[in-house]
Amino acid sequence: MLKKVLSIALLSVALTACGSNFKETTTRSGSSSTSFATKQTASNESTAQQASTNEVTDKEYLFAEFLKDGTPVLTEDQASMEQTSYDFIAKNSDLFPSTDKSKVINLVDKSVTTKHLNKNLNLYLNNFVKISGDVIDIEEDNIPIGTTAIVYISDENDNTVMAVYPGASGEIFEGDVATVIGVPIANFSYENVSGGYTNTTLLAASFLTKENQ
């Protein structure tokens, strides 16, 4: 068993802060754009179209913004999110989460293992990777972006990943074998119950499933 770095409630606090700032930014942008459109066309239709565009933009960047502010919290200020990962998640926002494995499995770089991530994470910040192993801890809660799960998986090499999945984890529990598909965000370490430190990789999870045992 590991010593939990944080509860999901603390991550929720980080989201509340970043969500408020993000909403304020897009609202200001929307008001400015709408005002401009009104002056140019005096059209309610243009205003409605601009509001719709802002709403889509909010949804597109929501999980990326969440992880941008959440990464320092989750890693105890050991790491921050690189722009490469942010752009990848925003571009593929419709895959976070994906309940259909077939939509993401062909995007996975099957040659990448946790050994590769530990050696040089920067090479894989815009790649989907697939990690399978024992669930050594899992927690789930409803937070402002919706139901979110944090799952720790230890693979066959005894390397650990910490996956943040923006959805319900279903019937996955500690002790199960699970597979996660996601994009790596950062490497960090946490204190375990033995008093030592465990190196791990933070993943933004697109797909999470329990394997047959």
Side-chain angles (χ1 to χ4, degrees):
M1 289 289 294
L2 57 84
K3 177 181 178 182
K4 289 186 178 180
V5 183
L6 297 159
S7 71
I8 204 166
L10 290 180
L11 189 57
S12 177
V13 171
L15 171 66
T16 301
C18 83
S20 297
N21 293 336
F22 186 59
K23 182 177 181 181
E24 181 181 353
T25 299
T26 55
T27 299
R28 287 200 301 267
S29 175
S31 298
S32 176
S33 298
T34 300
S35 176
F36 177 77
T38 302
K39 290 177 181 179
Q40 294 298 312
T41 65
S43 170
N44 290 333
E45 181 179 356
S46 294
T47 302
Q49 289 176 345
Q50 182 64 42
S52 176
T53 300
N54 287 335
E55 182 180 358
V56 172
T57 302
D58 282 356
K59 292 178 181 178
E60 179 181 356
Y61 290 98
L62 184 60
F63 190 48
E65 283 288 319
F66 171 58
L67 285 173
K68 179 181 177 181
D69 278 33
T71 295
V73 181
L74 289 167
T75 63
E76 295 187 310
D77 291 324
Q78 296 176 44
S80 58
M81 187 182 197
E82 296 292 340
Q83 189 65 41
T84 301
S85 296
Y86 182 99
D87 292 342
F88 182 86
I89 293 169
K91 180 180 179 181
N92 298 283
S93 59
D94 59 320
L95 299 178
F96 293 93
S98 174
T99 56
D100 186 352
K101 187 176 181 179
S102 64
K103 289 185 178 181
V104 292
I105 193 63
N106 291 330
L107 302 176
V108 172
D109 186 339
K110 297 180 176 62
S111 67
V112 179
T113 67
T114 52
K115 290 182 178 181
H116 293 87
L117 300 180
N118 289 336
K119 182 179 180 180
N120 190 348
L121 186 76
N122 291 328
L123 296 176
Y124 312 105
L125 295 178
N126 56 357
N127 290 74
F128 274 121
V129 298
K130 175 175 169 285
I131 308 295
S132 298
D134 298 326
V135 176
I136 55 177
D137 202 2
I138 186 168
E139 54 182 324
E140 179 180 298
D141 202 355
N142 292 318
I143 60 176
I145 64 168
T147 301
T148 301
I150 297 178
V151 56
Y152 298 79
I153 296 176
S154 178
D155 69 2
E156 60 184 3
N157 297 313
D158 292 327
N159 293 323
T160 303
V161 297
M162 175 187 183
V164 180
Y165 179 68
S169 57
E171 293 297 305
I172 301 177
F173 300 97
E174 181 183 325
D176 289 336
V177 176
T179 292
V180 60
I181 295 175
V183 60
I185 302 297
N187 285 334
F188 69 104
S189 62
Y190 60 84
E191 186 179 358
N192 55 47
V193 294
S194 300
Y197 286 86
T198 299
N199 295 324
T200 191
T201 299
L202 176 64
L203 294 180
S206 168
F207 180 79
L208 179 65
T209 189
K210 179 179 178 179
E211 298 293 341
N212 294 327
Q213 294 177 268

